[in-house]
Every structure is written in structure tokens, then in C-alpha cells.
Amino acid sequence: SAFTKDVWLANISSFSQGIISGESEKITTIQNELREDHPQLKISLIDIGGAFHTPKMRNARKELAAFLGDVKFRKPRVPLILNATGEPEEDPGEIERLLLRQMTARLYFPRTVRKLPLATRVHEIVVPLGGRPTVSQFINGGKKRPRQLSLPKKVTAGQSS
């Protein structure tokens, strides 16, 4: 198997979907092995800009930490549930720590969803990834989607989207 120190289970998106991340050639080898050994699985490559939620993001984490050094975090009006732990959090220092942690740590999204109160309206910020399912679709099993804010791929200063 190609699972090595260069490939990680980066995200458990739902009870039926996970995302592995790492070196491209090793991902391709794993993809081929899975298709051969488990033809019933749906396997898709997602072209993204980095090995997010893996140790490969250590340098980006350091850069974010330096940037956040000038940011004053305040207690949120409602508890935040960050994917790094799936637990509600209100402490500003802990929120900052968890934002950094989730850059290099595996995400386990079903744990986050279980912490949401049943009547919660989910609001999300969506960065377009080419028509991929969004967070609200995982939560709602593909049913009615809550309100979303989609960010344009590129916005120039002074330009509205």
C-alpha cells in the first residue's frame, strides 16, 4: 500500500466520505489500489492548493500564527464549534490556538455536527471548489440548504463581487 509518511487521512467529512492528502504520486497510487481492490467505492481527485490538515501545512501555520499575532480575539457572541475539536469554544485564546491547530490536524466533521443543537441554522462561508458538496450538504444529507455566503475566486480592491 502507498500509505506512508507522505499521505494522511486529512478529513473525515461524513460517515461515508473521507479525504486523504499528501504527495500527488502517492495519492495516485492509492487511488489506483482502491479502484482495483474496492471497485464499489466512488473515488475522486480534488485539485486543491495544498495538503491541508496535514503536517505539510506547518510553514503556513507558522505564517498564520505570525499574522494572528497582531489580531485581538474577543469572546464570540455565540460559541464557535471549530473542526479541530468539534467542541463549542468561547475562550479567545483557545479559539486562536484551535484555528492554528486545524491547519495541520485531521478534521473529523461528524463530531462537529453532533455538537450542533437540532434547531441550529448553519451559516457557512463557501470557497468555490468546482461544484463540490458543501458543509451544509453534509449536515443536511443533501436536503434544503441554509443561507450561504460564497466568496468570489478573485476580488480586486475596490471592486464589488
Side-chain angles (χ1 to χ4, degrees):
S1 174
F3 276 99
T4 69
K5 63 182 173 129
D6 297 321
V7 176
W8 298 267
L9 177 59
N11 189 348
I12 299 171
S13 304
S14 71
F15 295 110
S16 63
Q17 181 181 14
I19 297 173
I20 60 172
S21 188
E23 299 292 331
S24 294
E25 59 277 355
K26 295 197 175 148
I27 296 289
T28 300
T29 300
I30 292 170
Q31 178 186 19
N32 293 336
E33 287 178 6
L34 287 171
R35 282 194 172 134
E36 184 177 319
D37 296 344
H38 304 281
Q40 74 280 11
L41 293 178
K42 180 180 179 210
I43 301 167
S44 302
L45 287 176
I46 303 172
D47 187 17
I48 57 173
F52 301 109
H53 314 300
T54 74
K56 290 276 188 184
M57 296 304 292
R58 284 187 190 120
N59 288 337
R61 178 181 172 163
K62 288 177 187 173
E63 289 180 31
L64 180 60
F67 174 79
L68 292 178
D70 294 333
V71 175
K72 180 175 176 16
F73 282 77
R74 296 182 299 199
K75 184 176 178 177
R77 292 183 188 137
V78 296
L80 297 179
I81 301 176
L82 291 114
N83 288 325
T85 63
E87 297 292 329
E89 186 57 62
E90 296 183 64
D91 177 76
E94 189 65 5
I95 290 169
E96 179 179 6
R97 188 185 76 75
L98 292 173
L99 283 173
L100 294 170
R101 177 179 162 200
Q102 66 187 34
M103 289 190 71
T104 56
R106 174 182 306 139
L107 302 184
Y108 186 71
F109 193 67
R111 179 177 51 204
T112 301
V113 173
R114 283 196 303 265
K115 294 296 180 172
L116 295 173
L118 290 177
T120 299
R121 294 190 71 146
V122 176
H123 299 277
E124 64 182 300
I125 297 174
V126 178
V127 178
L129 293 176
R132 302 277 181 229
T134 64
V135 171
S136 62
Q137 288 172 302
F138 290 130
I139 293 171
N140 297 318
K143 297 180 182 112
K144 182 180 175 190
R145 294 169 52 161
R147 196 172 76 196
Q148 297 179 346
L149 169 65
S150 293
L151 298 176
K153 290 183 181 179
K154 182 177 179 182
V155 175
T156 307
Q159 173 187 11
S160 62
S161 52

